[in-house]
Amino acid sequence: MSDKAKTKSKEATRIAKVTTEELLSDEEARKVLRQIDTMYPDAKGELNWNNKFQLLCAVMISAQTTDKMVNQVTPQLFADFPTPEAMAKAPIQAIEGDISRLGLYRTKAKHLKETAQILIDDFGGKVPGTKAELVTLPGVGGKTANVVLAEGWGIPAIAVDTHVSRIAKKFKIVPEKATPEQVEKRLEELLPKDEWIHTHHAMIFFGRYTMPARAKNQDPYSYLK
């Protein structure tokens, strides 16, 4: 190996080492997560729903919008289309009309209608209770599936939204470029399953109400109590 190649190899090793050293240890990360967890003993999902079909629909249309905005449109949506059968039969324009205040409403309406039909055709009109089945539905990714499982079925899961991802990165629990899947895996490794659902909600509350993205103080520890 040439001197130049050796220098590059040493530099790459140094950078990798520094990156690793900057991340919190398992013990340090658990301490941060438990501090956040204790700050919000009543943390829970803020979407309004009364059954698993409503939950699925609400989560599906929540992408790139706020829970507050979703809760403003779902009463009419649920009243007009209370079942998968009603939504599958509805003209797409009627579904669009109920959610037109939301971003990407045309795509969301299309996914709602298609999903309703699949629920009828493949799942007996019921919302499936496994991640593998949920992610086969149009517009349902891993995050949406995890929310439905955790909220609707009580199955331990961590849904990595923008808040969870940002908090995990700010505290250096995960690398800055970690994907949602990597964040999810890291948090699952750190916490016992019975803490997954509540800690995930607590992290969302922390990011939403205590340390929002626009927060001026860049030291995340200053927001812990």
Side-chain angles (χ1 to χ4, degrees):
M1 183 182 292
S2 68
D3 290 343
K4 187 175 182 180
K6 286 180 180 178
T7 300
K8 283 187 176 180
S9 178
K10 287 180 180 179
E11 180 64 12
T13 300
R14 185 191 69 77
I15 292 173
K17 186 176 180 181
V18 169
T19 300
T20 301
E21 288 175 348
E22 286 180 348
L23 296 179
L24 298 187
S25 67
D26 288 0
E27 182 179 350
E28 291 169 333
R30 289 191 187 100
K31 182 178 180 181
V32 167
L33 293 172
R34 286 187 173 134
Q35 280 184 268
I36 292 174
D37 195 67
T38 57
M39 288 173 65
Y40 304 97
D42 300 319
K44 60 182 180 180
E46 295 186 299
L47 291 173
N48 296 331
W49 54 276
N50 293 310
N51 56 58
K52 294 183 180 71
F53 177 61
Q54 290 184 358
L55 169 64
L56 175 61
C57 292
V59 181
M60 286 177 64
I61 64 176
S62 68
Q64 298 185 37
T65 191
T66 64
D67 289 355
K68 182 178 180 180
M69 182 62 74
V70 171
N71 289 337
Q72 290 177 9
V73 305
T74 48
Q76 189 63 55
L77 180 71
F78 296 158
D80 289 344
F81 315 110
T83 65
E85 290 79 9
M87 188 167 286
K89 292 177 182 177
I92 190 69
Q93 293 83 358
I95 302 174
E96 290 176 352
D98 282 354
I99 63 172
S100 60
R101 283 183 283 169
L102 305 181
L104 306 174
Y105 73 92
R106 288 193 174 89
T107 298
K108 291 175 180 179
K110 178 174 180 288
H111 287 162
L112 286 174
K113 184 174 172 65
E114 291 174 348
T115 288
Q117 189 63 58
I118 292 172
L119 292 181
I120 296 167
D121 294 342
D122 298 343
F123 300 105
K126 305 293 184 182
V127 176
T130 69
K131 188 171 185 176
E133 291 171 320
L134 284 167
V135 296
T136 65
L137 302 173
V140 177
K143 185 193 79 171
T144 296
N146 281 353
V147 173
V148 173
L149 291 174
E151 296 296 294
W153 300 89
I155 296 174
I158 296 175
V160 178
D161 70 351
T162 55
H163 295 297
V164 172
S165 180
R166 180 171 57 82
I167 299 309
K169 291 174 182 179
K170 278 287 187 180
F171 281 101
K172 298 190 181 300
I173 295 172
V174 298
E176 183 62 35
K177 294 185 178 181
T179 64
E181 292 76 19
Q182 290 170 332
V183 175
E184 178 183 346
K185 182 180 179 182
R186 176 64 173 146
L187 294 176
E188 288 177 349
E189 291 171 346
L190 289 168
L191 299 167
K193 276 191 174 184
D194 62 358
E195 294 180 14
W196 288 3
I197 295 176
H198 188 270
T199 299
H200 137 250
H201 284 310
M203 291 181 76
I204 291 174
F205 273 40
F206 184 81
R208 184 177 290 165
Y209 301 117
T210 302
M211 194 183 78
R214 62 181 180 277
K216 294 181 180 180
N217 191 335
Q218 294 301 302
D219 175 17
Y221 289 93
S222 67
Y223 296 94
L224 292 176
K225 297 179 181 178

PDB file of all heavy atoms in Angstrom, residues 52-83:
ATOM      1  N   LYS A  52     -60.717   0.712  14.378  1.00  0.00           N
ATOM      2  CA  LYS A  52     -59.451   0.508  13.666  1.00  0.00           C
ATOM      3  C   LYS A  52     -59.485   1.041  12.234  1.00  0.00           C
ATOM      4  O   LYS A  52     -58.471   1.508  11.718  1.00  0.00           O
ATOM      5  CB  LYS A  52     -59.071  -0.978  13.683  1.00  0.00           C
ATOM      6  CG  LYS A  52     -58.746  -1.520  15.063  1.00  0.00           C
ATOM      7  CD  LYS A  52     -58.299  -2.975  14.966  1.00  0.00           C
ATOM      8  CE  LYS A  52     -57.965  -3.546  16.344  1.00  0.00           C
ATOM      9  NZ  LYS A  52     -59.171  -3.760  17.169  1.00  0.00           N
ATOM     10  N   PHE A  53     -60.634   0.983  11.584  1.00  0.00           N
ATOM     11  CA  PHE A  53     -60.718   1.537  10.233  1.00  0.00           C
ATOM     12  C   PHE A  53     -60.525   3.050  10.261  1.00  0.00           C
ATOM     13  O   PHE A  53     -59.794   3.618   9.440  1.00  0.00           O
ATOM     14  CB  PHE A  53     -62.063   1.188   9.592  1.00  0.00           C
ATOM     15  CG  PHE A  53     -62.258   1.786   8.227  1.00  0.00           C
ATOM     16  CD1 PHE A  53     -61.393   1.466   7.182  1.00  0.00           C
ATOM     17  CD2 PHE A  53     -63.292   2.686   7.970  1.00  0.00           C
ATOM     18  CE1 PHE A  53     -61.558   2.022   5.915  1.00  0.00           C
ATOM     19  CE2 PHE A  53     -63.462   3.243   6.712  1.00  0.00           C
ATOM     20  CZ  PHE A  53     -62.597   2.917   5.684  1.00  0.00           C
ATOM     21  N   GLN A  54     -61.155   3.713  11.220  1.00  0.00           N
ATOM     22  CA  GLN A  54     -60.968   5.158  11.366  1.00  0.00           C
ATOM     23  C   GLN A  54     -59.516   5.487  11.701  1.00  0.00           C
ATOM     24  O   GLN A  54     -58.962   6.467  11.183  1.00  0.00           O
ATOM     25  CB  GLN A  54     -61.893   5.703  12.446  1.00  0.00           C
ATOM     26  CG  GLN A  54     -63.367   5.702  12.074  1.00  0.00           C
ATOM     27  CD  GLN A  54     -64.235   6.349  13.138  1.00  0.00           C
ATOM     28  OE1 GLN A  54     -63.752   6.778  14.187  1.00  0.00           O
ATOM     29  NE2 GLN A  54     -65.533   6.428  12.883  1.00  0.00           N
ATOM     30  N   LEU A  55     -58.909   4.691  12.558  1.00  0.00           N
ATOM     31  CA  LEU A  55     -57.505   4.911  12.910  1.00  0.00           C
ATOM     32  C   LEU A  55     -56.624   4.816  11.675  1.00  0.00           C
ATOM     33  O   LEU A  55     -55.775   5.686  11.429  1.00  0.00           O
ATOM     34  CB  LEU A  55     -57.057   3.877  13.952  1.00  0.00           C
ATOM     35  CG  LEU A  55     -55.554   3.806  14.242  1.00  0.00           C
ATOM     36  CD1 LEU A  55     -55.046   5.108  14.850  1.00  0.00           C
ATOM     37  CD2 LEU A  55     -55.243   2.629  15.172  1.00  0.00           C
ATOM     38  N   LEU A  56     -56.805   3.761  10.906  1.00  0.00           N
ATOM     39  CA  LEU A  56     -56.014   3.574   9.692  1.00  0.00           C
ATOM     40  C   LEU A  56     -56.177   4.767   8.750  1.00  0.00           C
ATOM     41  O   LEU A  56     -55.184   5.309   8.249  1.00  0.00           O
ATOM     42  CB  LEU A  56     -56.437   2.283   8.984  1.00  0.00           C
ATOM     43  CG  LEU A  56     -55.778   2.004   7.626  1.00  0.00           C
ATOM     44  CD1 LEU A  56     -54.264   1.877   7.773  1.00  0.00           C
ATOM     45  CD2 LEU A  56     -56.369   0.741   7.008  1.00  0.00           C
ATOM     46  N   CYS A  57     -57.410   5.189   8.532  1.00  0.00           N
ATOM     47  CA  CYS A  57     -57.655   6.331   7.640  1.00  0.00           C
ATOM     48  C   CYS A  57     -56.992   7.606   8.169  1.00  0.00           C
ATOM     49  O   CYS A  57     -56.362   8.352   7.410  1.00  0.00           O
ATOM     50  CB  CYS A  57     -59.149   6.570   7.488  1.00  0.00           C
ATOM     51  SG  CYS A  57     -60.023   5.264   6.585  1.00  0.00           S
ATOM     52  N   ALA A  58     -57.126   7.854   9.468  1.00  0.00           N
ATOM     53  CA  ALA A  58     -56.556   9.070  10.061  1.00  0.00           C
ATOM     54  C   ALA A  58     -55.042   9.093   9.933  1.00  0.00           C
ATOM     55  O   ALA A  58     -54.447  10.128   9.595  1.00  0.00           O
ATOM     56  CB  ALA A  58     -56.956   9.163  11.531  1.00  0.00           C
ATOM     57  N   VAL A  59     -54.404   7.965  10.171  1.00  0.00           N
ATOM     58  CA  VAL A  59     -52.941   7.920  10.075  1.00  0.00           C
ATOM     59  C   VAL A  59     -52.502   8.061   8.628  1.00  0.00           C
ATOM     60  O   VAL A  59     -51.518   8.737   8.317  1.00  0.00           O
ATOM     61  CB  VAL A  59     -52.381   6.614  10.688  1.00  0.00           C
ATOM     62  CG1 VAL A  59     -50.858   6.599  10.591  1.00  0.00           C
ATOM     63  CG2 VAL A  59     -52.803   6.484  12.143  1.00  0.00           C
ATOM     64  N   MET A  60     -53.248   7.443   7.715  1.00  0.00           N
ATOM     65  CA  MET A  60     -52.900   7.529   6.299  1.00  0.00           C
ATOM     66  C   MET A  60     -52.920   8.966   5.774  1.00  0.00           C
ATOM     67  O   MET A  60     -52.106   9.335   4.924  1.00  0.00           O
ATOM     68  CB  MET A  60     -53.855   6.668   5.467  1.00  0.00           C
ATOM     69  CG  MET A  60     -53.609   5.179   5.581  1.00  0.00           C
ATOM     70  SD  MET A  60     -54.827   4.220   4.635  1.00  0.00           S
ATOM     71  CE  MET A  60     -54.485   4.734   2.948  1.00  0.00           C
ATOM     72  N   ILE A  61     -53.843   9.776   6.279  1.00  0.00           N
ATOM     73  CA  ILE A  61     -53.939  11.151   5.759  1.00  0.00           C
ATOM     74  C   ILE A  61     -53.138  12.152   6.596  1.00  0.00           C
ATOM     75  O   ILE A  61     -53.173  13.352   6.335  1.00  0.00           O
ATOM     76  CB  ILE A  61     -55.405  11.619   5.655  1.00  0.00           C
ATOM     77  CG1 ILE A  61     -56.071  11.694   7.028  1.00  0.00           C
ATOM     78  CG2 ILE A  61     -56.180  10.699   4.713  1.00  0.00           C
ATOM     79  CD1 ILE A  61     -57.501  12.250   6.984  1.00  0.00           C
ATOM     80  N   SER A  62     -52.398  11.649   7.583  1.00  0.00           N
ATOM     81  CA  SER A  62     -51.653  12.549   8.474  1.00  0.00           C
ATOM     82  C   SER A  62     -50.270  12.923   7.946  1.00  0.00           C
ATOM     83  O   SER A  62     -49.602  13.765   8.529  1.00  0.00           O
ATOM     84  CB  SER A  62     -51.499  11.916   9.859  1.00  0.00           C
ATOM     85  OG  SER A  62     -50.637  10.790   9.810  1.00  0.00           O
ATOM     86  N   ALA A  63     -49.854  12.310   6.835  1.00  0.00           N
ATOM     87  CA  ALA A  63     -48.527  12.605   6.287  1.00  0.00           C
ATOM     88  C   ALA A  63     -48.411  14.081   5.915  1.00  0.00           C
ATOM     89  O   ALA A  63     -49.314  14.657   5.297  1.00  0.00           O
ATOM     90  CB  ALA A  63     -48.267  11.734   5.059  1.00  0.00           C
ATOM     91  N   GLN A  64     -47.312  14.682   6.325  1.00  0.00           N
ATOM     92  CA  GLN A  64     -46.993  16.082   6.007  1.00  0.00           C
ATOM     93  C   GLN A  64     -48.085  17.061   6.429  1.00  0.00           C
ATOM     94  O   GLN A  64     -48.325  18.085   5.775  1.00  0.00           O
ATOM     95  CB  GLN A  64     -46.700  16.218   4.505  1.00  0.00           C
ATOM     96  CG  GLN A  64     -45.492  15.411   4.061  1.00  0.00           C
ATOM     97  CD  GLN A  64     -45.141  15.636   2.604  1.00  0.00           C
ATOM     98  OE1 GLN A  64     -45.259  16.733   2.093  1.00  0.00           O
ATOM     99  NE2 GLN A  64     -44.675  14.592   1.944  1.00  0.00           N
ATOM    100  N   THR A  65     -48.766  16.745   7.515  1.00  0.00           N
ATOM    101  CA  THR A  65     -49.724  17.675   8.100  1.00  0.00           C
ATOM    102  C   THR A  65     -49.773  17.421   9.593  1.00  0.00           C
ATOM    103  O   THR A  65     -49.131  16.510  10.092  1.00  0.00           O
ATOM    104  CB  THR A  65     -51.122  17.514   7.462  1.00  0.00           C
ATOM    105  OG1 THR A  65     -51.954  18.596   7.876  1.00  0.00           O
ATOM    106  CG2 THR A  65     -51.760  16.199   7.862  1.00  0.00           C
ATOM    107  N   THR A  66     -50.509  18.219  10.316  1.00  0.00           N
ATOM    108  CA  THR A  66     -50.555  18.082  11.771  1.00  0.00           C
ATOM    109  C   THR A  66     -51.750  17.236  12.208  1.00  0.00           C
ATOM    110  O   THR A  66     -52.768  17.149  11.505  1.00  0.00           O
ATOM    111  CB  THR A  66     -50.676  19.464  12.440  1.00  0.00           C
ATOM    112  OG1 THR A  66     -51.929  20.058  12.061  1.00  0.00           O
ATOM    113  CG2 THR A  66     -49.518  20.373  12.014  1.00  0.00           C
ATOM    114  N   ASP A  67     -51.621  16.622  13.378  1.00  0.00           N
ATOM    115  CA  ASP A  67     -52.736  15.860  13.934  1.00  0.00           C
ATOM    116  C   ASP A  67     -53.954  16.776  14.125  1.00  0.00           C
ATOM    117  O   ASP A  67     -55.093  16.353  13.935  1.00  0.00           O
ATOM    118  CB  ASP A  67     -52.348  15.230  15.274  1.00  0.00           C
ATOM    119  CG  ASP A  67     -51.359  14.085  15.108  1.00  0.00           C
ATOM    120  OD1 ASP A  67     -51.047  13.732  13.950  1.00  0.00           O
ATOM    121  OD2 ASP A  67     -50.905  13.541  16.132  1.00  0.00           O
ATOM    122  N   LYS A  68     -53.699  18.016  14.518  1.00  0.00           N
ATOM    123  CA  LYS A  68     -54.787  18.971  14.723  1.00  0.00           C
ATOM    124  C   LYS A  68     -55.586  19.174  13.441  1.00  0.00           C
ATOM    125  O   LYS A  68     -56.832  19.191  13.452  1.00  0.00           O
ATOM    126  CB  LYS A  68     -54.215  20.314  15.204  1.00  0.00           C
ATOM    127  CG  LYS A  68     -55.268  21.367  15.497  1.00  0.00           C
ATOM    128  CD  LYS A  68     -54.608  22.659  16.017  1.00  0.00           C
ATOM    129  CE  LYS A  68     -55.661  23.717  16.303  1.00  0.00           C
ATOM    130  NZ  LYS A  68     -55.029  24.979  16.805  1.00  0.00           N
ATOM    131  N   MET A  69     -54.900  19.312  12.320  1.00  0.00           N
ATOM    132  CA  MET A  69     -55.581  19.504  11.046  1.00  0.00           C
ATOM    133  C   MET A  69     -56.340  18.244  10.627  1.00  0.00           C
ATOM    134  O   MET A  69     -57.461  18.315  10.128  1.00  0.00           O
ATOM    135  CB  MET A  69     -54.571  19.886   9.958  1.00  0.00           C
ATOM    136  CG  MET A  69     -55.203  20.155   8.602  1.00  0.00           C
ATOM    137  SD  MET A  69     -56.373  21.534   8.603  1.00  0.00           S
ATOM    138  CE  MET A  69     -55.245  22.917   8.697  1.00  0.00           C
ATOM    139  N   VAL A  70     -55.733  17.084  10.872  1.00  0.00           N
ATOM    140  CA  VAL A  70     -56.408  15.816  10.551  1.00  0.00           C
ATOM    141  C   VAL A  70     -57.705  15.706  11.346  1.00  0.00           C
ATOM    142  O   VAL A  70     -58.755  15.326  10.817  1.00  0.00           O
ATOM    143  CB  VAL A  70     -55.495  14.610  10.842  1.00  0.00           C
ATOM    144  CG1 VAL A  70     -56.273  13.298  10.709  1.00  0.00           C
ATOM    145  CG2 VAL A  70     -54.305  14.604   9.895  1.00  0.00           C
ATOM    146  N   ASN A  71     -57.636  16.061  12.630  1.00  0.00           N
ATOM    147  CA  ASN A  71     -58.826  15.973  13.483  1.00  0.00           C
ATOM    148  C   ASN A  71     -59.935  16.936  13.055  1.00  0.00           C
ATOM    149  O   ASN A  71     -61.093  16.754  13.429  1.00  0.00           O
ATOM    150  CB  ASN A  71     -58.443  16.244  14.941  1.00  0.00           C
ATOM    151  CG  ASN A  71     -57.647  15.105  15.541  1.00  0.00           C
ATOM    152  OD1 ASN A  71     -57.711  13.963  15.091  1.00  0.00           O
ATOM    153  ND2 ASN A  71     -56.866  15.402  16.570  1.00  0.00           N
ATOM    154  N   GLN A  72     -59.582  17.940  12.286  1.00  0.00           N
ATOM    155  CA  GLN A  72     -60.598  18.884  11.797  1.00  0.00           C
ATOM    156  C   GLN A  72     -61.381  18.316  10.612  1.00  0.00           C
ATOM    157  O   GLN A  72     -62.537  18.682  10.393  1.00  0.00           O
ATOM    158  CB  GLN A  72     -59.939  20.211  11.407  1.00  0.00           C
ATOM    159  CG  GLN A  72     -59.424  21.023  12.584  1.00  0.00           C
ATOM    160  CD  GLN A  72     -58.719  22.294  12.147  1.00  0.00           C
ATOM    161  OE1 GLN A  72     -58.743  22.669  10.977  1.00  0.00           O
ATOM    162  NE2 GLN A  72     -58.076  22.985  13.090  1.00  0.00           N
ATOM    163  N   VAL A  73     -60.740  17.425   9.848  1.00  0.00           N
ATOM    164  CA  VAL A  73     -61.419  16.907   8.655  1.00  0.00           C
ATOM    165  C   VAL A  73     -62.021  15.514   8.850  1.00  0.00           C
ATOM    166  O   VAL A  73     -62.936  15.127   8.113  1.00  0.00           O
ATOM    167  CB  VAL A  73     -60.467  16.886   7.428  1.00  0.00           C
ATOM    168  CG1 VAL A  73     -59.881  18.263   7.179  1.00  0.00           C
ATOM    169  CG2 VAL A  73     -59.365  15.852   7.594  1.00  0.00           C
ATOM    170  N   THR A  74     -61.517  14.766   9.818  1.00  0.00           N
ATOM    171  CA  THR A  74     -61.999  13.384   9.960  1.00  0.00           C
ATOM    172  C   THR A  74     -63.457  13.249  10.422  1.00  0.00           C
ATOM    173  O   THR A  74     -64.110  12.266  10.025  1.00  0.00           O
ATOM    174  CB  THR A  74     -61.083  12.566  10.889  1.00  0.00           C
ATOM    175  OG1 THR A  74     -60.816  13.292  12.102  1.00  0.00           O
ATOM    176  CG2 THR A  74     -59.784  12.228  10.191  1.00  0.00           C
ATOM    177  N   PRO A  75     -64.026  14.153  11.222  1.00  0.00           N
ATOM    178  CA  PRO A  75     -65.441  13.969  11.578  1.00  0.00           C
ATOM    179  C   PRO A  75     -66.349  13.848  10.353  1.00  0.00           C
ATOM    180  O   PRO A  75     -67.207  12.958  10.296  1.00  0.00           O
ATOM    181  CB  PRO A  75     -65.756  15.216  12.405  1.00  0.00           C
ATOM    182  CG  PRO A  75     -64.451  15.564  13.048  1.00  0.00           C
ATOM    183  CD  PRO A  75     -63.432  15.286  11.977  1.00  0.00           C
ATOM    184  N   GLN A  76     -66.160  14.711   9.359  1.00  0.00           N
ATOM    185  CA  GLN A  76     -66.970  14.639   8.143  1.00  0.00           C
ATOM    186  C   GLN A  76     -66.620  13.399   7.325  1.00  0.00           C
ATOM    187  O   GLN A  76     -67.495  12.717   6.782  1.00  0.00           O
ATOM    188  CB  GLN A  76     -66.764  15.893   7.300  1.00  0.00           C
ATOM    189  CG  GLN A  76     -67.738  16.011   6.129  1.00  0.00           C
ATOM    190  CD  GLN A  76     -69.182  16.124   6.605  1.00  0.00           C
ATOM    191  OE1 GLN A  76     -69.523  16.994   7.395  1.00  0.00           O
ATOM    192  NE2 GLN A  76     -70.044  15.221   6.128  1.00  0.00           N
ATOM    193  N   LEU A  77     -65.319  13.106   7.239  1.00  0.00           N
ATOM    194  CA  LEU A  77     -64.872  11.924   6.484  1.00  0.00           C
ATOM    195  C   LEU A  77     -65.476  10.651   7.060  1.00  0.00           C
ATOM    196  O   LEU A  77     -66.002   9.810   6.328  1.00  0.00           O
ATOM    197  CB  LEU A  77     -63.342  11.843   6.511  1.00  0.00           C
ATOM    198  CG  LEU A  77     -62.721  10.656   5.756  1.00  0.00           C
ATOM    199  CD1 LEU A  77     -62.872  10.861   4.246  1.00  0.00           C
ATOM    200  CD2 LEU A  77     -61.240  10.502   6.124  1.00  0.00           C
ATOM    201  N   PHE A  78     -65.430  10.523   8.370  1.00  0.00           N
ATOM    202  CA  PHE A  78     -65.952   9.316   9.017  1.00  0.00           C
ATOM    203  C   PHE A  78     -67.476   9.246   8.949  1.00  0.00           C
ATOM    204  O   PHE A  78     -68.050   8.160   8.875  1.00  0.00           O
ATOM    205  CB  PHE A  78     -65.492   9.255  10.480  1.00  0.00           C
ATOM    206  CG  PHE A  78     -63.999   9.129  10.656  1.00  0.00           C
ATOM    207  CD1 PHE A  78     -63.404   9.513  11.863  1.00  0.00           C
ATOM    208  CD2 PHE A  78     -63.196   8.656   9.643  1.00  0.00           C
ATOM    209  CE1 PHE A  78     -62.029   9.387  12.040  1.00  0.00           C
ATOM    210  CE2 PHE A  78     -61.818   8.539   9.805  1.00  0.00           C
ATOM    211  CZ  PHE A  78     -61.237   8.914  11.004  1.00  0.00           C
ATOM    212  N   ALA A  79     -68.122  10.394   8.974  1.00  0.00           N
ATOM    213  CA  ALA A  79     -69.578  10.420   8.873  1.00  0.00           C
ATOM    214  C   ALA A  79     -70.031  10.006   7.468  1.00  0.00           C
ATOM    215  O   ALA A  79     -71.009   9.265   7.305  1.00  0.00           O
ATOM    216  CB  ALA A  79     -70.107  11.810   9.202  1.00  0.00           C
ATOM    217  N   ASP A  80     -69.312  10.481   6.468  1.00  0.00           N
ATOM    218  CA  ASP A  80     -69.673  10.168   5.087  1.00  0.00           C
ATOM    219  C   ASP A  80     -69.307   8.741   4.691  1.00  0.00           C
ATOM    220  O   ASP A  80     -70.013   8.107   3.897  1.00  0.00           O
ATOM    221  CB  ASP A  80     -68.974  11.145   4.129  1.00  0.00           C
ATOM    222  CG  ASP A  80     -69.545  12.547   4.213  1.00  0.00           C
ATOM    223  OD1 ASP A  80     -70.653  12.704   4.768  1.00  0.00           O
ATOM    224  OD2 ASP A  80     -68.879  13.490   3.737  1.00  0.00           O
ATOM    225  N   PHE A  81     -68.183   8.255   5.247  1.00  0.00           N
ATOM    226  CA  PHE A  81     -67.685   6.928   4.861  1.00  0.00           C
ATOM    227  C   PHE A  81     -67.319   6.130   6.117  1.00  0.00           C
ATOM    228  O   PHE A  81     -66.137   5.955   6.445  1.00  0.00           O
ATOM    229  CB  PHE A  81     -66.469   7.074   3.950  1.00  0.00           C
ATOM    230  CG  PHE A  81     -66.668   8.107   2.871  1.00  0.00           C
ATOM    231  CD1 PHE A  81     -65.965   9.308   2.908  1.00  0.00           C
ATOM    232  CD2 PHE A  81     -67.580   7.907   1.852  1.00  0.00           C
ATOM    233  CE1 PHE A  81     -66.164  10.277   1.938  1.00  0.00           C
ATOM    234  CE2 PHE A  81     -67.786   8.875   0.871  1.00  0.00           C
ATOM    235  CZ  PHE A  81     -67.086  10.062   0.909  1.00  0.00           C
ATOM    236  N   PRO A  82     -68.330   5.633   6.834  1.00  0.00           N
ATOM    237  CA  PRO A  82     -68.087   4.968   8.115  1.00  0.00           C
ATOM    238  C   PRO A  82     -67.481   3.566   8.012  1.00  0.00           C
ATOM    239  O   PRO A  82     -66.963   3.043   8.996  1.00  0.00           O
ATOM    240  CB  PRO A  82     -69.476   4.900   8.747  1.00  0.00           C
ATOM    241  CG  PRO A  82     -70.410   4.884   7.575  1.00  0.00           C
ATOM    242  CD  PRO A  82     -69.773   5.753   6.536  1.00  0.00           C
ATOM    243  N   THR A  83     -67.528   2.975   6.824  1.00  0.00           N
ATOM    244  CA  THR A  83     -67.035   1.606   6.646  1.00  0.00           C
ATOM    245  C   THR A  83     -66.178   1.510   5.386  1.00  0.00           C
ATOM    246  O   THR A  83     -66.280   2.367   4.485  1.00  0.00           O
ATOM    247  CB  THR A  83     -68.208   0.625   6.506  1.00  0.00           C
ATOM    248  OG1 THR A  83     -68.932   0.943   5.290  1.00  0.00           O
ATOM    249  CG2 THR A  83     -69.140   0.702   7.711  1.00  0.00           C
TER     250      THR A  83
END
